[in-house]
Amino acid sequence: MEKKEDGISMGNKKYNACIHTGFEKHDSYMTPKSAWENIQQFIPKDKVIWEAFYGDGKSGDYLTELGFKVIHQDVDFFTNDMGEIIVTNPPFSLNLIKPIMYRLKELDKPFILILPSQKINSQYMRNTFKDKLQIIIPNGRINFNKLVGDKIVESKNKCAFDCFYYCYKMDLPNDITWL
């Protein structure tokens, strides 16, 4: 398999978070600050966050601006284990999300992930986290920032799908929280 010079690796193939996945048109969307502002009251301030997928580097900056202690480095998710909780927007493509979910189960630490709402129906989610996930449903669609090359391009269209915040071991007051 081809090796990339930057990013995360899976087996002998290397990826950069949401960029070099082979499905760039689907995986090169970065997290806007508003996505973290929406749920900041559910993220513990006393824990060190690992923003595990680097993307354009802004997501960790946004969490830091909101007052959280954040580790956000361009490192391999599959071979590293940082922070006390994971708060991130991983790549959505199927060839990556399944191994990411299995790795999260292996790490067994609290997390909040932004993922499309339809992922809740997948067998790998059911088999990996059955009865252990809590969901935060935003009050509208998250409009991700499109990354083309190394520049953010403003999208003229709204996001075409809904996303949820998938939470594991976050001890939220409800299994489903509507924002």
Side-chain angles (χ1 to χ4, degrees):
M1 288 187 177
E2 177 188 346
K3 283 220 169 201
K4 302 285 183 184
E5 292 302 315
D6 58 346
I8 63 170
S9 68
M10 185 176 64
N12 63 345
K13 189 163 184 174
K14 197 159 180 162
Y15 299 96
N16 182 330
C18 301
I19 301 172
H20 301 296
T21 64
F23 297 101
E24 185 171 288
K25 66 182 179 180
H26 298 294
D27 278 344
S28 53
Y29 291 88
M30 305 296 116
T31 313
K33 186 175 183 180
S34 61
W36 300 135
E37 289 171 331
N38 288 341
I39 62 161
Q40 63 184 321
Q41 69 271 27
F42 301 109
I43 305 171
K45 292 266 190 187
D46 64 334
K47 304 285 184 196
V48 176
I49 294 170
W50 181 23
E51 210 307 10
F53 293 94
Y54 196 76
D56 67 350
K58 300 284 190 218
S59 184
D61 294 342
Y62 299 149
L63 288 163
T64 300
E65 288 170 16
L66 293 171
F68 298 102
K69 296 175 231 159
V70 181
I71 298 170
H72 192 217
Q73 302 169 358
D74 194 4
V75 298
D76 186 336
F77 169 74
F78 295 97
T79 60
N80 284 280
D81 181 2
M82 300 179 179
E84 298 169 87
I85 64 172
I86 297 170
V87 177
T88 194
N89 173 22
F92 294 169
S93 63
L94 191 58
N95 67 327
L96 288 176
I97 198 61
K98 285 168 79 173
I100 289 168
M101 298 313 293
Y102 296 139
R103 174 70 174 143
L104 287 167
K105 182 66 174 178
E106 177 185 294
L107 292 172
D108 198 37
K109 64 173 60 177
F111 66 70
I112 299 176
L113 305 178
I114 300 173
L115 290 171
S117 58
Q118 71 268 25
K119 296 293 183 192
I120 196 69
N121 295 320
S122 67
Q123 286 299 315
Y124 62 87
M125 289 292 271
R126 177 183 304 267
N127 295 337
T128 309
F129 293 103
K130 185 177 184 177
D131 302 326
K132 294 186 171 64
L133 286 178
Q134 293 180 302
I135 304 291
I136 301 172
I137 301 173
N139 186 19
R141 291 184 172 165
I142 298 170
N143 289 307
F144 299 96
N145 300 316
K146 185 175 184 178
L147 184 66
V148 177
D150 62 353
K151 297 189 191 285
I152 295 293
V153 176
E154 287 207 25
S155 177
K156 295 177 185 173
N157 301 321
K158 299 265 182 194
C159 187
F161 54 89
D162 294 307
C163 286
F164 294 161
Y165 298 91
Y166 292 78
C167 306
Y168 175 72
K169 290 188 168 183
M170 294 301 296
D171 296 322
L172 300 177
N174 302 302
D175 286 341
I176 298 176
T177 301
W178 299 82
L179 297 181

